[in-house]
Amino acid sequence: TLALWDLNTGTRRSVFRGHTNDVTSVAFSPCNRQIVSGSRDRSVKVWNTIADLKATLDASTSRNANDHHTDWVSCVRFSPATDPIVVSGGHDGKVKVWSLSQADFGLLHSIDAHDGYV
């Protein structure tokens, strides 16, 4: 579970439910309209700021076995590029580059160049 807090008032604005294990990383998009989260449940999730889940990037949504992380997702970031891109790294040693501009939030690249976790 994630929560978005208003730092001026100290009140919770939104609760993001959907991960089935600990959340390990969270990042805001450059425009502050989207949030990406990674988890020990091996998934990457994309949300809007009112806690609507927009996409889940994991084994249940992948077209083939290489399209998702096979271990914890340890870090997630939005690219500052104009095209909406998310990069995720995991304990499986892989870095995944996801396009959010496609209708199906497709995998652009999978980089398997690490012996340890990312």
Side-chain angles (χ1 to χ4, degrees):
T1 302
L2 307 173
L4 182 63
W5 295 84
D6 184 322
L7 297 179
N8 293 322
T9 64
T11 58
R12 189 172 58 197
R13 289 184 48 202
S14 303
V15 176
F16 303 74
R17 289 184 174 85
H19 285 292
T20 59
N21 209 323
D22 299 333
V23 174
T24 56
S25 184
V26 177
F28 278 87
S29 66
C31 67
N32 290 324
R33 291 185 179 164
Q34 291 182 308
I35 297 170
V36 63
S37 58
S39 171
R40 289 176 54 186
D41 66 8
R42 303 176 184 181
S43 73
V44 175
K45 294 189 181 288
V46 181
W47 315 80
N48 64 20
T49 55
I50 58 171
D52 292 330
L53 180 61
K54 295 300 181 183
T56 297
L57 309 170
D58 67 3
S60 70
T61 60
S62 296
R63 284 178 242 142
N64 67 58
N66 294 323
D67 280 1
H68 65 279
H69 286 285
T70 57
D71 206 341
W72 300 3
V73 177
S74 54
C75 55
V76 291
R77 295 292 180 268
F78 276 93
S79 167
T82 54
D83 290 335
I85 291 175
V86 166
V87 178
S88 59
H91 278 240
D92 56 7
K94 295 180 179 152
V95 174
K96 305 282 186 177
V97 181
W98 308 91
S99 171
L100 303 186
S101 63
Q102 300 174 6
D104 61 353
F105 293 89
L107 180 70
L108 294 176
H109 304 286
S110 181
I111 303 163
D112 189 10
H114 295 273
D115 293 329
Y117 64 87
V118 179

